[in-house]
Amino acid sequence: MISRSEPAAALAAAPLFADLSPDVVSSLALELRRIELAPGDLLWRQGEASGGLHLVETGRLTVTAGGPGGREVELAQMGPGDVVGELPLLAGGEHAASVRAVELASVLQLDRGRFRALLSSFDPSAEALRRRLLNVVCERLRRQHARLCAMLGDGPALGAGADFVSEPAPIPPHAYLARLALFRDLGEQELDELLAVSVVVDVARGTELCAEGATPAFCAVTLCGALEELVRRGDRGVRVRLAGPGLATCYAGLLDGLPSSVSVNARERARLALVPRPAFDDLVAARTRIGRAFLEALQRDLVGALRVAQRPLARLSFG
Amino acid sequence: MCRVLAYLGLPTPLETLLYATDLSLARQAYNPRMMASFVNLAGFGFAAWDDATAHPDEPFVYRVTTVPTHDENLRALAHKLVPACVLAHVRGVVDGQPAVVSQQNTHPFRFARARVALAHNGHLREFARMRRDVQAHVRPELASLVEGNTDSEWLYALLLSQLREPLGRPDVEELAAATIRTLEIVRDLRARHRIATASPANLFVTTGTSLVVTRFSFDHGWYPPDDPLLELDLAYVTLWYTLGGEYAEHGGAWEMRGADVTSSVLVASEPITADASTWLEVPEYSLLAASRDGDTVETELHDLEV
C-alpha cells in the first residue's frame, strides 16, 4: 500500500515511473499536487481539457464513457499506483472519458507542462518512461478488446492465421506520403530510411493479415486503402477500428510481446508498408531522430486506436 | 463536402436543431469540427414534416444559396416550425474547382410530388465518366426532373428508380433496400469504368416517417495524385447519432434524456454539441434505419456489404 504522506514514495512505487532516477523522482515529487476526492466526486468530465497526469495514491476511481440519455458505461477501475489522464498528454485532444471517485481517494497531479517536458527530454530514463507509457496504453487497449469480446459472448475467435497473399507494389510519391499521419513528422531522408527497411505490398480486399491470438511478424502501415481490426465470438463480431491511410496496425504485440488481441483484415484492397519485426525492434530501440519520431507517431496512433475502441463499447452498451 | 442533419421523433422546434446548440448545423457551415480545412457556404436547405399542418405527408422544403447564420427568413421560419422529421444540409464545394452554386444544386433533393427526400454528404470522384450510365438506370420520367448538375441529385433519381412506386411512400424496409441497391448499381458502374478512387456516399433518405442513413465510401483510402480533397477524405467521413426522449436543454446541456421507449433519433455528420458524450458513432460501412409510429421510434444498425 502506498503511503499518502510520501509523494516521492508513491511515484517511485508506481510501475510507470520505475525507471526514473531517484533525483528525477525527488524533483518531480516536489511539483505534485494532491487532490482529495469524496465518493462520487468527479476528477474530470469527458470532453474537458487535460490538466496533467494523475497518479492514484489511495482509493478507487471509475472511468466511464457517456451515452445517450445521460447513461454511462464503465470502461475501467483504477487503484493505487495506476495513472489516469495520460492520453491527452500523449496525443492531444480532450479527455475521452470521465473519472470519478468510487470511494474516498487521493490523487497526485503532475502538471501537464512538467510532464510534457519530462517526456521530451533526451534523458535515458525519459526514454524508458516513454516505452512504459506505450505499454500502459497497449494494456488498456487489450483490456478494451477483452471487454468487447466478453460483450459478444461465447464462441470461437475469428481468424485462420494462415500466410497471406500479397504482391510487390510501387512506393507512392513522397508528396503523398508526407501528408499521412504516421510520416508527417519525418523528413525526406528519414522517410527514405523507413521505407528502405519496409516491404511495400498490395493485398486484396478480405485478406487476413493477422489472426486474433497470433503473434504478428510485422507492423503494417496503410499507405492506400484500409485495414480493419475485428473481434469476433461465434457469429457476433464488431469492427474495433478502421485503419486507413497513415494509420498503423499489428504492432501492439511487437511492443509488449503479447499475441494480437484482434484480427486484422483488408477491408479495402490496400497498399501497405510492412516493417518486419527485426527492423521494427531496431527502429524503436534506436536513439536516433527517426527512431524517436517513429515511436512518437506510433504513440499517437495507439492512443487513437484506444479512443476509437471505446466507441463500439459504448454502442454495444447503449445502441 | 457538406454537413447534414436528420431528425425523426417527437415534434421539436426547428430552431433547436438548426441554431440553438453550440455546434449547431448553422455553425457547422463555417466552423465544422470534424472536417479538415473546409467550410460549407455553398447553400443550405431543409425538408421538414409537421403532422399538424395541411398535407402532413408533404414536407416544407426550403433551399437557398444564403448562409444560414445570416438568413433572417430562415431564422423566422425555424422559430415557427415544430416538425417531427427534419432533413437539413449545408453544402460545401472545393475552392478553385468547377462547381455551380445554385438553388438547383442545394440539398435535400425532392422532386415534385415525391414522398422521398435525399441529402448527400460526400462526392463521387470521376462521376462525369459514369454519368450517362447512371442516367440509363434512372426511369425516364424521373431523369427529366433533374434540374441541377450534381452527382447527388442523380443518386436521388437513381434511388427513386429502385422503388416499386417512385413517387410513393415506401416503408423503411423498402427504403433501405432501394438505398442498398443504389449503392450496388454505382459500385458496378464504377467497376465497368475502372473508377477506383475514394468516393464517400453518406446518404440521408427520408419519407417523414422512415429514415435511412448510410456511412459508406467506395474505395476508401485511394486518391488521385495531388488530390485537393485528400486531407478531407483520409479519414472516413463521419456520422454520429443520439437517441432517447425529447431533444431539449437540461441544466445547460442539450440531450435526449432517457426514455424507456425511444421516441426520437438525431443523426448528423457530426454532433451538434461540443460535448459529444451523449452521441454514438455510426460504424463505417453501415446503414442506420429508423421508423416512427406515433411516439415510438424504432432504430436498427446494419452492416453494409456493398
Side-chain angles (χ1 to χ4, degrees), chain B residues 48-78:
Chain B
W49 287 258
D50 184 342
D51 293 344
T53 60
H55 313 295
D57 285 357
E58 297 176 12
F60 294 93
V61 178
Y62 184 89
R63 295 158 75 200
V64 289
T65 53
T66 316
V67 181
T69 47
H70 293 76
D71 184 342
E72 292 307 315
N73 290 325
L74 176 61
R75 280 189 185 272
L77 199 56

Side-chain angles (χ1 to χ4, degrees), chain B residues 247-291:
Chain B
Y247 190 68
E249 192 173 19
H250 303 275
W254 286 94
E255 59 182 304
M256 291 179 182
R257 276 288 158 91
D260 292 339
V261 177
T262 297
S263 53
S264 306
V265 61
L266 179 54
V267 192
S269 303
E270 57 185 271
I272 61 171
T273 51
D275 176 3
S277 64
T278 60
W279 290 73
L280 300 171
E281 185 185 41
V282 177
E284 304 92 346
Y285 305 101
S286 60
L287 179 149
L288 176 74
S291 57

Side-chain angles (χ1 to χ4, degrees), chain A residues 49-254:
Chain A
S50 165
L53 186 76
H54 293 75
L55 171 65
V56 184
E57 194 181 21
T58 62
R60 294 203 72 75
L61 307 179
T62 177
V63 182
T64 59
R71 291 173 292 171
E72 291 188 326
V73 58
E74 183 174 77
L75 302 175
Q77 286 219 356
M78 298 293 178
D82 287 332
V83 290
V84 282
E86 75 285 0
L87 300 188
L89 302 176
L90 294 175
E94 298 142 345
H95 287 299
S98 300
V99 176
R100 172 182 287 115
V102 177
E103 56 194 42
L104 269 177
S106 165
V107 174
L108 297 170
Q109 182 192 43
L110 181 59
D111 172 74
R112 176 190 181 94
R114 183 70 182 88
F115 181 68
R116 290 293 311 169
L118 177 65
L119 271 187
S120 57
S121 146
F122 279 90
D123 185 279
S125 63
E127 299 269 0
L129 177 62
R130 285 194 286 273
R131 287 303 302 269
R132 280 188 179 265
L133 262 173
L134 268 178
N135 284 343
V136 166
V137 183
C138 280
E139 187 192 337
R140 297 214 170 135
L141 187 60
R142 289 179 182 283
R143 267 195 246 157
Q144 295 273 45
H145 293 162
R147 283 284 303 278
L148 277 168
C149 290
M151 292 174 86
L152 293 176
D154 295 330
L158 182 75
D163 288 343
F164 62 90
V165 175
S166 64
E167 294 285 337
I171 298 172
H174 270 50
Y176 168 78
L177 295 178
R179 293 161 81 178
L180 304 185
L182 206 82
F183 305 131
R184 211 167 278 156
D185 293 336
L186 298 182
E188 195 158 332
Q189 187 183 338
E190 289 146 356
L191 181 53
D192 280 335
E193 282 179 47
L194 179 58
L195 292 170
V197 298
S198 306
V199 184
V200 176
V201 296
D202 280 349
V203 294
R205 179 172 166 172
T207 302
E208 182 188 79
L209 275 82
C210 179
E212 184 184 334
T215 304
F218 51 79
C219 161
V221 183
T222 305
L223 306 181
C224 303
L227 303 179
E228 61 183 352
E229 297 176 350
L230 304 160
V231 291
R232 185 175 290 277
R233 291 293 178 270
D235 58 358
R236 294 190 74 198
V238 64
R239 182 185 311 107
V240 175
R241 184 189 188 213
L242 189 76
L247 300 180
T249 184
C250 296
Y251 60 84
L254 304 186

Side-chain angles (χ1 to χ4, degrees), chain A residues 5-75:
Chain A
S5 58
E6 296 288 348
L11 271 183
L16 179 65
F17 299 107
D19 297 309
L20 294 185
S21 67
D23 287 351
V24 174
V25 168
S26 304
S27 139
L28 282 180
L30 295 174
E31 301 180 51
L32 293 175
R33 182 170 77 95
R34 178 174 283 129
I35 301 170
E36 306 280 0
L37 299 166
D41 280 357
L42 263 175
L43 188 55
W44 61 73
R45 192 182 300 277
Q46 184 176 349
E48 287 182 357
S50 165
L53 186 76
H54 293 75
L55 171 65
V56 184
E57 194 181 21
T58 62
R60 294 203 72 75
L61 307 179
T62 177
V63 182
T64 59
R71 291 173 292 171
E72 291 188 326
V73 58
E74 183 174 77
L75 302 175

Side-chain angles (χ1 to χ4, degrees), chain B:
Chain B
M1 202 70 81
C2 315
R3 299 283 85 173
V4 193
L5 171 154
Y7 173 81
L8 181 65
L10 299 174
T12 294
L14 186 60
E15 193 172 38
T16 294
L17 300 172
L18 297 185
Y19 288 111
T21 58
D22 56 356
L23 273 185
S24 65
L25 188 69
R27 289 192 173 90
Q28 288 177 21
Y30 63 87
N31 188 26
R33 294 281 184 95
M34 295 186 175
M35 298 168 83
S37 53
F38 204 80
V39 290
N40 304 289
L41 304 173
F44 166 83
F46 77 80
W49 287 258
D50 184 342
D51 293 344
T53 60
H55 313 295
D57 285 357
E58 297 176 12
F60 294 93
V61 178
Y62 184 89
R63 295 158 75 200
V64 289
T65 53
T66 316
V67 181
T69 47
H70 293 76
D71 184 342
E72 292 307 315
N73 290 325
L74 176 61
R75 280 189 185 272
L77 199 56
H79 187 64
K80 287 291 288 182
L81 291 180
V82 187
C85 180
V86 176
L87 176 57
H89 181 281
V90 285
R91 182 173 180 231
V93 295
V94 184
D95 184 19
Q97 296 278 301
V100 177
V101 175
S102 70
Q103 182 185 325
Q104 287 77 14
N105 283 343
T106 56
H107 308 221
F109 297 100
R110 180 205 168 236
F111 292 154
R113 296 185 292 114
R115 301 295 191 202
V116 174
L118 174 145
H120 177 200
N121 184 186
H123 54 107
L124 301 182
R125 282 183 170 85
E126 305 177 76
F127 180 71
R129 288 174 52 203
M130 56 185 280
R131 184 190 301 262
R132 281 176 183 276
D133 280 347
V134 170
Q135 289 172 6
H137 283 78
V138 173
R139 296 188 188 209
E141 69 272 24
L142 296 175
S144 64
L145 298 176
V146 173
E147 295 181 324
N149 68 346
T150 62
D151 52 355
S152 308
E153 191 174 10
W154 281 107
L155 282 175
Y156 173 58
L158 182 60
L159 190 147
L160 290 189
S161 299
Q162 310 314 309
L163 298 173
R164 280 191 294 274
E165 295 179 38
L167 301 182
R169 192 180 199 186
D171 62 18
V172 71
E173 286 81 13
E174 188 185 0
L175 197 61
T179 305
I180 293 168
R181 184 67 195 126
T182 299
L183 294 174
E184 289 171 343
I185 292 169
V186 172
R187 173 201 62 198
D188 293 346
L189 294 179
R190 285 166 57 87
R192 187 187 304 169
H193 288 273
R194 299 183 183 279
I195 298 171
T197 43
S199 296
N202 285 13
L203 302 179
F204 296 66
V205 195
T206 183
T207 62
T209 52
S210 297
L211 171 68
V212 169
V213 186
T214 61
R215 187 176 183 208
F216 184 78
S217 177
F218 298 100
D219 293 293
H220 175 62
W222 290 90
Y223 313 96
D226 304 323
D227 189 83
L229 290 174
L230 179 66
E231 269 74 15
L232 198 65
D233 282 348
L234 278 172
Y236 212 91
V237 175
T238 53
L239 185 66
W240 294 75
Y241 71 107
T242 186
L243 68 179
E246 179 189 16
Y247 190 68
E249 192 173 19
H250 303 275
W254 286 94
E255 59 182 304
M256 291 179 182
R257 276 288 158 91
D260 292 339
V261 177
T262 297
S263 53
S264 306
V265 61
L266 179 54
V267 192
S269 303
E270 57 185 271
I272 61 171
T273 51
D275 176 3
S277 64
T278 60
W279 290 73
L280 300 171
E281 185 185 41
V282 177
E284 304 92 346
Y285 305 101
S286 60
L287 179 149
L288 176 74
S291 57
R292 175 174 170 249
D293 183 7
D295 288 347
T296 304
V297 169
E298 286 192 13
T299 60
E300 285 185 11
L301 261 178
H302 303 276
D303 288 338
L304 259 182
E305 289 296 335
V306 174

